[in-house]
Amino acid sequence: MDRFERQTKLNDFGAAAQQKLIDSKVLVVGSGGLGCPALQYLAAAGVGTLGIADGDNVMPSNLNRQVIFGEGDVGNNKALVAAKCIRDKYKDTLLNVYPFTLINTNTLNVIDRYDLIIDATDNFQTRYMLNDACVLLNKPLVYGAIYQYEGQVAVFNLATRDGRSTNYRNLFPQPPEINEVPDCNTTGVLGVLPGMIGVMMASEAIKVLTNYTTPLINKMLLFSLKNNSFYEMDIPSITENTDGAENIEEFL
């Protein structure tokens, strides 16, 4: 029995879409709370090549939400541990590991090798840098973020049929000041929330790679864990919001 049998039985998916996944190359930047579930579900779904980029080491405080890791992994590089976990489960997945932080001198070279980028990071410097690099190289970017009890998911830099394409700077033209927006180290996070958002990010990536159903192009999905509510908002295009257009290479 083929491990993709349940997927290939889906109407409008089938063997053709599965082959697209097998032929795809996806880079996941960040293997923390968002990256762990995204990586596991992309590998399980059959994405043929996965890149994992993360320069951080596992800490005890990660273990409530970064479910690839266990107590025995504390102190080890996250990208290396995540790659070993996936390699042990799925021998047919080609893994490229980048156990270092992506910065302006190496980002373009790394992401240029991939069909789609997943932003599973937790800081604005990297987030803007990845966005700008994807715009320059014309790579679709699946974005996710969490804050306390809320999460958001979007697909950037992918045009709709009318040619309209948005990116992260359409929402937030300028990065916030340092420490202006606190992270989960300060505000805390319930471990299930990044798991849910990370799975949604994997779902959006699969939609984009296979042209199966409708991804969140030019839209952002917002989820509240407190009241189980979903809200979908349109993202204005660059022609509607040009404040950040001239800064597209700021971080590169």
Side-chain angles (χ1 to χ4, degrees), residues 116-130:
L116 179 144
I117 313 302
I118 290 187
D119 177 4
T121 63
D122 60 0
N123 68 86
F124 288 100
Q125 178 80 15
T126 306
R127 193 167 291 161
Y128 278 89
M129 181 184 67
L130 286 176

Side-chain angles (χ1 to χ4, degrees), residues 43-242:
V47 171
T49 301
L50 281 174
I52 308 174
D54 200 317
D56 291 341
N57 295 334
V58 181
M59 299 174 60
S61 61
N62 300 148
L63 301 183
N64 80 313
R65 62 197 182 281
Q66 301 178 18
V67 294
I68 283 182
F69 313 127
E71 293 177 349
D73 299 315
V74 171
N76 295 322
N77 175 265
K78 291 181 180 181
L80 293 172
V81 176
K84 182 181 184 305
C85 175
I86 293 171
R87 189 176 292 114
D88 288 345
K89 290 182 178 181
Y90 309 112
K91 303 299 183 185
D92 53 356
T93 304
L94 177 62
L95 293 166
N96 299 322
V97 187
Y98 308 96
F100 51 81
T101 300
L102 294 188
I103 57 177
N104 58 353
T105 57
N106 59 28
T107 295
L108 290 174
N109 182 56
V110 172
I111 73 170
D112 193 37
R113 310 171 191 180
Y114 294 89
D115 304 311
L116 179 144
I117 313 302
I118 290 187
D119 177 4
T121 63
D122 60 0
N123 68 86
F124 288 100
Q125 178 80 15
T126 306
R127 193 167 291 161
Y128 278 89
M129 181 184 67
L130 286 176
N131 175 80
D132 296 354
C134 286
V135 170
L136 290 172
L137 295 177
N138 196 28
K139 303 284 184 178
L141 176 68
V142 176
Y143 156 84
I146 59 167
Y147 178 73
Q148 292 190 329
Y149 299 97
E150 300 174 353
Q152 51 190 231
V153 183
V155 176
F156 293 130
N157 205 41
L158 194 64
T160 53
R161 291 181 179 178
D162 61 3
R164 193 168 75 91
S165 176
T166 59
N167 67 78
Y168 188 67
R169 287 186 183 270
N170 290 105
L171 278 174
F172 309 106
Q174 302 290 343
E177 297 295 328
I178 296 175
N179 299 324
E180 183 179 349
V181 181
D183 58 20
C184 66
N185 293 330
T186 303
T187 62
V189 61
L190 195 62
V192 295
L193 176 62
M196 298 169 73
I197 300 301
V199 170
M200 292 181 193
M201 295 168 72
S203 175
E204 292 304 303
I206 291 170
K207 292 178 188 178
V208 172
L209 294 168
T210 62
N211 297 317
Y212 180 69
T213 71
T214 306
L216 290 165
I217 303 173
N218 300 331
K219 297 179 181 295
M220 177 173 284
L221 182 69
L222 299 103
F223 169 70
S224 172
L225 186 70
K226 275 191 170 181
N227 55 22
N228 294 312
S229 66
F230 288 89
Y231 175 74
E232 189 175 291
M233 59 171 280
D234 290 324
I235 300 173
S237 66
I238 203 73
T239 56
E240 300 167 76
N241 182 359
T242 59

